[in-house]
Amino acid sequence: MNVIDINNVSKVYHDNAIPVPAVTDVTLHFTQGEFAALVGPSGSGKTTLLNIIGGLDKPTKGEVIIEGQNVTNLSDSKMIDFRLQNIGFVFQAYNLIPVLTARENVEFIMLLQKRPKAEREKRVEELLKEVGLQDKMDTRPNEMSGGQQQRVAVARALASKPKFILADEPTANLDSKSAANLLDIMSEMNKNENITFIFSTHDSRVIERAHRVVTLTDGVVTSDVNQK
Amino acid sequence: MLLKIAWRNIWRKRTRSLIIIFAVTLGIWAGLFICSFMDGFINEMMEESINHTFSHIQIHNPAFKGNNEIQYTIQQPQKVLAAVESNPNVKAATLRNVAFGMAASPTTASGTKIVGINPVEENKVTDFKIFIKQGTYFEGNSKNGVLVGQKLVEKLHIKMHSKIVLTFAGADGNIVSGAFRVIGIYKTSNAQSDLANVFINANDFNAMLGNDTTFHEIAMVLKDADQVDTVNAAFKKQFPTLKVESWKELSPETVTLNDYVAFILWILMGVFMLGLGFAIVNTMLMAVMERTRELGMLMAIGLNKSRTFGMIMLETITLTFVGCPFGIGLSYLTVSYFGKHGISLAMFAKGMENFGMSAIDYPFLKDNVYWQIAIMVFCTALLAAIYPSIRAIRLKPAEAIRKI
């Protein structure tokens, strides 16, 4: 069974009443354990598509089905809850909670899920260890490098045990070493734990590592290549 | 965790938060201090009315209250007094004679209220004795001594040991008069009262009337001032043929003034709270704007609208409540200090005494006012937090995340 089914999805924005199509008639299917990249130049619609998959934006037309559940018309509050239980996010600009430590940032999402304290503590330690930040647990984001912050973001995305992780330009602000390190971590998780990752990126380092590359041009899927 | 985030967020912009905390502190302090300042005056006026003039409750012949004629006495006054004193709420009670007449010196005369008192019993009911600035209270068996107010002394051009003649209409309509020597000069903070009242021994008063059992007034003080209305109602029932009145009925203008000042103070506090509210709204809106991306991220990862709303509310209330104890604490210290040492308003003394106010204000606040203000601040913070919180939950995560 597919994890994500995107059926004939279009998204049209309006700029001063002038319709601006961002995504046009996209149909894609992702299965469990994919390590896929949505690529394309700026304005190609990759972030819009990622937002639609993640329920942060609603399509003008078409439907998004996640593990058999059509989430297209979920209300805002139901969608937030759905995201909390099913989707992990890694954003371009780290986007950690600046007043919380690495440990607290990762734990926060599990608190929202109302997980028991013992489980939270155990998982936080495991995840931060997995991303190589066991010695930064009680460090706040502003005391960490960009790469370290992004690794915390990955740990946080995994903390909620999501069905898949959406990563929007995760390496855009990182130097080569940090980017490689982050990709190693995500690649390991994908390989060892069969976690589905979908990237929106135009970073060649990500594209090289991706098993599947979907290219968007002006909102239309122009190629879908399996390079495993 | 939301409380932890709220608390830490407050200190992200330390200077801005400190300004708000300072504004809250100052607002509460200013509000409470002005309240205490005005309450001090009103309290002093009421205390003076009760302790020097009216006591808590008075009993008269109903007809006497109508036209102040001397023949309208209390029937069997000792029996009524005994009944009053047997009430467990009554601390002390005394009998008085009252006549409205003239006080004349060799050079001039003035209309006055002549009050005949039992010096020993009166001293238990009122603290009049402490206002004697020259001479003495009724001591020993000195006959025909009179206590005169400073203002009347000046008007009659008299001094200690001067002789004055007190004249009033007797029960039969004939003029009754007697010569009295000034044995004491008193000065209260109420200049009008000092001009209008002279005090003589009740025995001397009755001697002038040729009847030693005549009394017009029973005045009493209670153990608990807050029981005035209850005890007043009980005595009204107990003595249906007599006129029983609490100080509130005897001096309705004092009650009205008290209510009026309280009303004005609440309006003033409302204005303070409005200012505080706008400051909070402004600060929290700035905080929401600055953290648009962070809020967008939180909503994207699963912080629902009610939690987002609650987080901003919590942050606002926490910010406000950091300042609240400082404001209340500072107010308490200020009110306690000046309540003990007073604030001298000597430059306004003359005018204030004409209104029955003391030239030294002793700020005063009931304990419950501190709580009321704390609740007002809490409500203000709650209301002020609503708009920034609504702005926060209206953010679209997809747009907010990309906000620079």
Side-chain angles (χ1 to χ4, degrees), chain B residues 174 181 200 274 306 328 331 337 349 355 363:
Chain B
N174 290 326
R181 192 174 293 282
I200 62 175
L274 201 65
S306 59
I328 288 178
S331 306
Y337 177 80
F355 287 103

Side-chain angles (χ1 to χ4, degrees), chain A residues 43-112:
Chain A
S44 60
K46 56 188 186 300
T47 296
T48 301
L49 189 58
L50 205 73
N51 285 342
I52 289 171
I53 297 170
L56 298 177
D57 215 343
K58 284 190 186 300
T60 313
K61 203 185 89 184
E63 60 183 17
V64 177
I65 295 166
I66 294 171
E67 282 205 337
Q69 184 181 353
N70 189 336
V71 299
T72 321
N73 294 317
L74 284 182
S75 66
D76 282 355
S77 57
K78 280 189 177 159
M79 195 63 228
I80 289 175
D81 197 45
F82 186 85
R83 283 199 297 269
L84 175 66
Q85 305 299 341
N86 298 287
I87 309 171
F89 286 94
V90 179
F91 301 103
Q92 179 180 341
Y94 326 133
N95 283 305
L96 299 175
I97 303 167
V99 293
L100 298 183
T101 61
R103 180 199 300 273
E104 289 163 341
N105 261 288
V106 178
E107 189 186 3
F108 182 69
I109 200 154
M110 289 189 280
L111 263 170
L112 296 180

Side-chain angles (χ1 to χ4, degrees), chain B residues 383-396:
Chain B
L383 289 172
I386 290 173
Y387 181 59
S389 304
I390 288 173
R391 286 293 293 261
I393 60 169
R394 279 186 182 163
L395 291 171
K396 302 268 180 221

Side-chain angles (χ1 to χ4, degrees), chain B residues 226-379:
Chain B
D226 292 338
Q227 293 296 315
V228 163
D229 292 334
T230 313
V231 178
N232 188 41
F235 281 143
K236 276 182 200 283
K237 207 178 254 181
Q238 190 174 351
F239 306 116
T241 58
L242 294 171
K243 182 94 172 167
V244 180
E245 294 166 291
S246 73
W247 69 269
K248 295 176 186 176
E249 293 161 296
L250 292 161
S251 180
E253 67 281 359
T254 308
V255 178
T256 305
L257 185 66
N258 183 36
D259 292 347
Y260 177 72
V261 169
F263 178 68
I264 295 289
L265 288 175
W266 281 115
I267 289 177
L268 199 66
M269 287 310 293
V271 173
F272 274 120
M273 293 302 149
L274 201 65
L276 182 64
F278 274 111
I280 293 170
V281 169
N282 185 40
T283 303
M284 291 314 295
L285 265 182
M286 279 171 73
V288 168
M289 299 296 178
E290 282 171 3
R291 282 158 44 203
T292 297
R293 199 167 70 177
E294 185 183 320
L295 289 165
M297 174 273 293
L298 286 169
M299 290 163 92
I301 64 169
L303 190 71
N304 61 28
K305 288 190 178 186
S306 59
R307 279 180 170 146
T308 308
F309 190 88
M311 189 177 78
I312 302 294
M313 293 288 279
L314 199 61
E315 203 171 310
T316 313
I317 291 162
T318 310
L319 176 67
T320 311
F321 263 65
V322 173
C324 198
F326 287 116
I328 288 178
L330 190 64
S331 306
Y332 183 78
L333 290 176
T334 317
V335 172
S336 300
Y337 177 80
F338 286 111
K340 193 175 173 189
H341 296 94
I343 299 170
S344 175
L345 298 163
M347 66 181 89
F348 307 114
K350 237 183 168 69
M352 292 172 73
E353 281 172 5
N354 284 329
F355 287 103
M357 290 176 171
S358 168
I360 297 177
D361 181 40
Y362 294 93
F364 165 82
L365 269 187
K366 285 182 180 167
D367 288 346
N368 64 341
V369 175
Y370 292 102
W371 290 111
Q372 284 168 355
I373 295 299
I375 291 167
M376 274 182 87
V377 171
F378 178 77
C379 292

